[in-house]
Amino acid sequence: MCGITGYIGDRDAYSVVVKGLQRLEYRGYDSAGIMLFDKDVQVHKTKGKVVDLQAIISKENRQGNIGIGHTRWATHGVPNDVNSHPHTSNSENLTIVHNGIIENYDKIKAELSKRGYVFHSDTDTEVLVNLIEEVQKQKQCKLAKAVQLALKDVIGAYAIAVFDKQNPAEIVVAKLGSPLAIGIGENNAEFFIASDASPFIEYTKNAIYLEDEELAIVKAGCEIEVRKVNDDSEVNPLIHALDMDLSQIEKEGFDHFMLKEIYEQPKAIIDTYRGRLLANEGIVRMAGIEEYIEKFKSADRIIIIACGTSWHAGLVAEYIFEEITRVPVEVEYASEFRYRNPIITEKDVVIAISQSGETADSLAAIKMAKEKGALVFGVCNVVGSSISRESHAGAYTHAGPEIGVASTKAFTTQITLLTLMALKLAKEKGNISNSNFHAYLQSMELIPSKVEKILEQNEKIKAIAADFLETPSCLYLGRGYNFPVALEGALKLKEISYIHAEGYPAAEMKHGPIALIEENYPVIVVAISKGHYEKVVSNIQEIKSRKGKIIAVVTEGDVTVKEMADCVIEIPEVEEALSPLLTTIPLQLLSYHIAVARGCNVDQPRNLAKSVTVE
């Protein structure tokens, strides 16, 4: 949530920082701002989009080789020009941008007010920059020391970049619970600051990801100084080589990132299983599991923690883990898990799933699980992310950057990876026959080509979507492995089209949701031939008898449901356990086309952020 960019070097800072803000728009935001330094500080900020910020800055006010920028997602204070970042201190010497929440800001604000400080915004960030100024004043110290001492007094989460116009050769950054990356220019001649690497990927392939409670002093032409906030000890940071190119964060001819990412799924699934799935040899290779294989094999229970779409992927994983490994699985919302004093033992394995690897609730749940002795295995997409660093072991999905706020390829690649994990564990435990194991591997290799076949129906799905633009609500139904797909399909529609939708197990329809059914009420049903087909057919008959409108996802060659449904989308034949990788594709396309036709911003839906890095 929110986004930070910054630059110090010889380039025009305005163009670098503004382009960086545009690259971070996918994170979700309601206002934008920038600070530039050229003999003096210039701050420009506004409610609205980055394009609105650009419109208010004249060419004369774009000078300088140092800058910091911000896209804000409101927490403290409504979205308006005053509450937008950057914020300056009372003396106007210090300027700050901040992601996160300072939980004890009200107490700090009250104390600073007694000392004569005046506050113009409702934000916790303005309180923080004035606290830093007060510490600097009281201790007569440089900016970095003042930041360090001030952060010891705050409770909450932060990623900050702070600039002092009295010492304009440096920017001080720090992190706790919110991501922050530093791009390193050649020979340290320039540095880039951002919430993730996407804003500076075209300038450098080398980056440092700050760890929690680390502070860095960034000066052009000098080595980065990194130290611990708590004890001031020096840190030797690890420099990561970025495995990303510019084309991955551009639309490349697609109208929206979401559509591009839907179409990227065949390749993304291949990239997820490449080097891991060796079907001809009958092998699944996963170093993270192999390192802790005895812990996995002896586990009494697997606990999956996640949020949103990742939680739905975890639900799919529950079915396959329990079916083929015979290990009990619990799937938990990370936000609830961390607060309910759960029972966790050393015999548990905790799998944490997150696209970004920065989800605040999941990170907190991981730390709690580690304290109780459980093995934590991270499943995420972003290399070097906090969850990947906090976990004992893990695996990356290798889906590539996902810019659209509504996850698509994250879901299918997470399911792919979790399925490989289940197969690996089942094989190691001897719970799956060789013939079934080989059959699964061979079927998984065919999934990308089957996804491509479904994508060929894009125009047909677009035509189906045109009939549902004015509907106020709809129902998604699935059974077994496809119950989570119903939940995910409903979530996608809610996220990007703002149409109310609910997902249910098909058998639960009679326990309440059937009361919604009336003439032309849309019901999207996953009714593939494998699994509980006859039961789902009975549910469809119940809907039709009440004149509901059926959109069905069926297996190629289906006859029974075709005769009953108003619209049918076919998928290739596939084992039930692998079917979510296919059945979710038409639901993604359906949501996308409905949202576009309704004039919604599918890549940046209202009120949503790509990565929820605060509670």
Side-chain angles (χ1 to χ4, degrees):
M1 302 176 89
C2 307
I4 286 175
T5 60
Y7 176 77
I8 185 167
D10 294 328
R11 298 178 194 263
D12 169 46
Y14 172 82
S15 59
V16 174
V17 174
V18 166
K19 185 180 290 185
L21 293 178
Q22 291 169 333
R23 295 264 170 81
L24 293 175
E25 286 187 298
Y26 75 94
R27 296 174 68 89
Y29 71 110
D30 48 54
S31 54
I34 188 172
M35 180 228 75
L36 299 168
F37 180 80
D38 181 33
K39 298 180 182 176
D40 201 2
V41 166
Q42 306 171 55
V43 173
H44 311 278
K45 55 185 184 175
T46 183
K47 175 186 174 182
K49 299 296 186 182
V50 175
V51 66
D52 300 314
L53 175 67
Q54 292 174 281
I56 68 170
I57 306 176
S58 66
K59 290 183 179 179
E60 292 75 24
N61 292 325
R62 297 179 182 180
Q63 306 306 309
N65 303 117
I66 299 174
I68 53 177
H70 191 264
T71 52
R72 177 177 186 254
W73 192 87
T75 52
H76 294 82
V78 300
N80 62 28
D81 293 356
V82 175
N83 288 331
S84 304
H85 297 212
H87 287 284
T88 55
S89 61
N90 275 194
S91 70
E92 298 186 352
N93 287 332
L94 306 187
T95 308
I96 191 173
V97 290
H98 164 226
N99 290 351
I101 293 177
I102 306 303
E103 295 175 8
N104 61 336
Y105 84 103
D106 52 345
K107 293 181 180 178
I108 298 171
K109 185 175 184 178
E111 180 60 32
L112 290 174
S113 296
K114 291 178 185 176
R115 301 186 186 193
Y117 284 84
V118 176
F119 297 92
H120 305 284
S121 75
D122 301 315
T123 68
D124 52 343
T125 305
E126 189 185 11
V127 174
L128 179 57
V129 72
N130 280 297
L131 174 62
I132 295 169
E133 177 160 284
E134 177 64 10
V135 171
Q136 194 176 32
K137 220 184 285 183
Q138 295 293 328
K139 300 295 185 181
Q140 292 294 299
C141 58
K142 292 182 179 179
L143 177 62
K145 189 65 177 179
V147 170
Q148 179 191 2
L149 294 174
L151 291 178
K152 290 182 179 181
D153 289 336
V154 305
I155 299 170
Y158 55 79
I160 59 172
V162 192
F163 177 77
D164 183 353
K165 71 178 183 181
Q166 293 184 313
N167 184 15
E170 66 182 33
I171 299 173
V172 175
V173 298
K175 169 200 180 309
L176 174 62
S178 194
L180 199 64
I182 303 170
I184 305 168
E186 190 173 352
N187 299 320
N188 298 315
E190 59 183 353
F191 293 97
F192 307 84
I193 300 160
S195 297
D196 62 48
S198 60
F200 54 73
I201 190 65
E202 66 191 273
Y203 305 111
T204 180
K205 292 287 188 179
N206 297 316
I208 291 170
Y209 294 94
L210 287 189
E211 300 284 354
D212 279 351
E213 297 184 318
E214 286 185 352
L215 174 150
I217 304 168
V218 181
K219 298 180 182 179
C222 300
E223 293 282 345
I224 293 177
E225 294 179 47
V226 181
R227 59 184 67 159
K228 288 288 185 182
V229 169
N230 285 338
D231 59 15
D232 203 32
S233 59
E234 292 187 10
V235 175
N236 186 20
L238 176 65
I239 298 176
H240 296 263
L242 300 175
D243 184 21
M244 185 192 305
D245 60 56
L246 196 58
S247 65
Q248 291 179 299
I249 56 174
E250 302 292 349
K251 292 180 184 174
E252 294 188 299
F254 286 90
D255 291 337
H256 299 92
F257 281 111
M258 183 180 177
L259 186 61
K260 176 186 178 230
E261 288 154 9
I262 290 172
Y263 272 82
E264 285 176 341
Q265 285 175 112
K267 179 181 183 299
I269 291 170
I270 291 171
D271 289 342
T272 299
Y273 68 57
R274 179 182 285 116
R276 294 167 171 155
L277 170 61
L278 306 174
N280 292 336
E281 301 172 42
I283 294 173
V284 173
R285 286 182 182 155
M286 299 193 74
I289 290 183
E290 290 159 8
E291 182 180 357
Y292 291 93
I293 190 60
E294 294 306 319
K295 187 80 171 178
F296 272 94
K297 287 170 67 176
S298 63
D300 287 342
R301 178 178 57 159
I302 292 172
I303 303 170
I304 296 175
I305 56 174
C307 301
T309 288
S310 297
W311 186 75
H312 296 156
L315 289 177
V316 175
E318 179 180 20
Y319 281 88
I320 193 163
F321 266 95
E322 291 198 337
E323 181 173 330
I324 69 172
T325 72
R326 306 309 298 158
V327 179
V329 177
E330 296 178 12
V331 184
E332 301 271 2
Y333 282 116
S335 54
E336 292 297 316
F337 181 77
R338 60 179 291 203
Y339 283 117
R340 76 156 205 273
N341 193 22
I343 299 170
I344 310 171
T345 75
E346 294 178 357
K347 296 286 286 181
D348 292 327
V349 170
V350 173
I351 300 175
I353 312 172
S354 168
Q355 190 281 137
S356 68
E358 302 293 347
T359 309
D361 287 317
S362 296
L363 278 166
I366 285 172
K367 291 174 183 177
M368 180 175 65
K370 287 171 69 177
E371 288 170 2
K372 294 179 182 290
L375 172 71
V376 176
F377 190 95
V379 172
C380 53
N381 184 35
V382 179
V383 176
S385 57
S386 297
I387 286 178
S388 68
R389 299 195 303 270
E390 283 288 340
S391 302
H392 293 110
Y396 292 114
T397 56
H398 299 303
E402 188 177 66
I403 306 299
V405 167
S407 283
T408 51
K409 63 180 179 176
F411 183 62
T412 48
T413 55
Q414 286 168 354
I415 292 173
T416 300
L417 185 57
L418 291 161
T419 301
L420 290 175
M421 289 175 63
L423 288 166
K424 174 76 173 175
L425 181 56
K427 183 68 172 173
E428 293 286 347
K429 287 171 65 70
N431 288 343
I432 187 171
S433 67
N434 284 333
S435 59
N436 283 344
F437 184 73
H438 282 271
Y440 268 120
L441 300 191
Q442 290 167 356
S443 293
M444 286 193 71
E445 276 200 327
L446 297 175
I447 291 294
S449 62
K450 291 181 178 182
V451 172
E452 287 177 346
K453 193 170 183 181
I454 298 168
L455 292 172
E456 292 172 1
Q457 300 180 69
N458 180 53
E459 290 303 316
K460 176 182 178 180
I461 296 170
K462 183 178 180 180
I464 293 172
D467 290 335
F468 299 93
L469 306 186
E470 303 303 324
T471 184
S473 176
C474 64
L475 195 62
Y476 285 72
L477 301 177
R479 292 197 73 152
Y481 284 88
N482 285 294
F483 158 51
V485 172
L487 293 176
E488 175 63 12
L491 176 62
K492 284 293 150 289
L493 191 67
K494 283 183 281 196
E495 283 180 316
I496 62 172
S497 75
Y498 317 137
I499 294 172
H500 175 260
E502 295 294 338
Y504 278 93
E508 285 295 304
M509 185 182 64
K510 291 190 288 291
H511 295 273
I514 198 168
L516 295 170
I517 307 300
E518 58 185 355
E519 188 171 1
N520 289 325
Y521 185 91
V523 183
I524 296 89
V525 184
V526 181
I528 63 169
S529 60
K530 300 292 176 64
H532 309 279
Y533 179 75
E534 293 79 10
K535 300 291 186 183
V536 176
V537 169
S538 296
N539 296 134
I540 292 173
Q541 289 171 331
E542 291 163 349
I543 297 165
K544 290 303 293 181
S545 68
R546 290 158 179 82
K547 299 183 179 180
K549 191 166 188 176
I550 301 290
I551 305 95
V553 177
V554 302
T555 305
E556 284 177 341
D558 180 282
V559 175
T560 304
V561 174
K562 267 187 180 180
E563 292 178 352
M564 301 165 62
D566 297 275
C567 307
V568 166
I569 305 166
E570 292 186 318
I571 68 165
E573 180 88 24
V574 69
E575 291 86 347
E576 185 188 13
L578 301 181
S579 63
L581 292 166
L582 303 186
T583 55
T584 193
I585 307 299
L587 303 189
Q588 292 172 353
L589 287 169
L590 185 66
S591 297
Y592 170 80
H593 287 301
I594 290 172
V596 170
R598 283 168 61 89
C600 301
N601 186 340
V602 296
D603 286 337
Q604 298 170 35
R606 68 188 182 203
N607 302 331
L608 294 180
K610 183 65 178 173
S611 177
V612 183
T613 57
V614 296
E615 290 188 62

